[in-house]
Amino acid sequence: NTTAVVTASPTSTAVYTVRGTGSNGCTLTDSVTVTVWQPPVVSGGANTAICIGGNTSLNASGASSYSWSPGTGLSTVFGPVVNASPISTQTYTVTGTDLNGCIDTALVTVTVNPLPTLSTSGSATICIGSSTNLSVSGASTYLWSPSAGLSASTGSGVSASPSGTTTYTITGTDGNGCERIDSVT
C-alpha cells in the first residue's frame, strides 16, 4: 500500500514494515507489530431447571470479568457467580471480558417448572375407633405425616384410624422434583 494510513486486520500477530521515501529520494524503514489476542472462551455453565419459587447458582468461567443479561430474577448482573430465581423460563447471556479486553458470550437457560396441584379426597369425619380412606392425586410420589394412625406413610391412598382429631400433611412431589404441600383433617 502506498498511502500514509492503512487498516490492518490480521488473524494472528503480524509485523508490518513501512518504507518512506522523502522528496529528496532518501528512504527510511520502520516496523510496527500488531499483536492479536485470541478471545476468551466463555461458559455460562450447564442449563438447569428449578421449581417455581426456587433458585439456582449460575457459574461463568473462561474470562476475567462478567456481565449478565437480562437482569430478570438475578441477584446481580456482574460477577462469575449469580443467583437466579426467575418466575418463568429464562435464557441468560453472560458476556466475559479477558485481561486484554477481548470478549466472548455464552447462553445458559434456567427452565422453571410449575408446582404440582394436589387434590385430596376421603371422609374427613369419623367416629372414634373407625377408619376412613384418604387419597391424593396430582403428583408422582406422596409422603404423609404424621404417620400415627395411618396404614402407610407413602402412596396416593392410605387408611386413617387416628385416636383423635388429626391433621395429616401430604407432600406431593412430581417428576421434576417440585413439591407442593396439602393437608386433610
Side-chain angles (χ1 to χ4, degrees):
N1 196 318
T2 59
T3 62
V5 178
V6 296
T7 300
S9 302
T11 57
S12 61
T13 299
V15 177
Y16 294 97
T17 301
V18 59
R19 184 177 69 191
T21 303
S23 57
N24 59 5
C26 296
T27 62
L28 185 62
T29 60
D30 200 358
S31 62
V32 61
T33 300
V34 176
T35 302
V36 177
W37 290 297
Q38 295 301 313
V41 178
V42 172
S43 170
N47 293 335
T48 189
I50 62 171
C51 302
I52 192 165
N55 63 73
T56 187
S57 290
L58 303 179
N59 300 284
S61 61
S64 298
S65 63
Y66 305 89
S67 63
W68 298 80
S69 67
T72 307
L74 294 182
S75 58
T76 180
V77 294
F78 299 107
V81 179
V82 298
N83 191 46
S85 53
I87 59 173
S88 61
T89 297
Q90 183 71 56
T91 298
Y92 295 102
T93 301
V94 58
T95 301
T97 306
D98 69 11
L99 295 175
N100 298 314
C102 299
I103 65 171
D104 187 33
T105 61
L107 301 176
V108 60
T109 299
V110 178
T111 301
V112 179
N113 293 310
L115 301 181
T117 300
L118 300 183
S119 176
T120 59
S121 64
S123 174
T125 304
I126 61 171
C127 297
I128 194 163
S130 299
S131 65
T132 186
N133 292 322
L134 303 175
S135 63
V136 62
S137 62
S140 300
T141 62
Y142 307 93
L143 178 64
W144 299 74
S145 69
S147 60
L150 293 179
S151 60
S153 60
T154 61
S156 61
V158 297
S159 176
S161 54
S163 59
T165 300
T166 304
T167 298
Y168 293 104
T169 300
I170 309 110
T171 302
T173 306
D174 67 13
N176 295 315
C178 297
E179 293 182 349
R180 186 179 290 269
I181 297 174
D182 202 350
S183 64
V184 60
T185 300

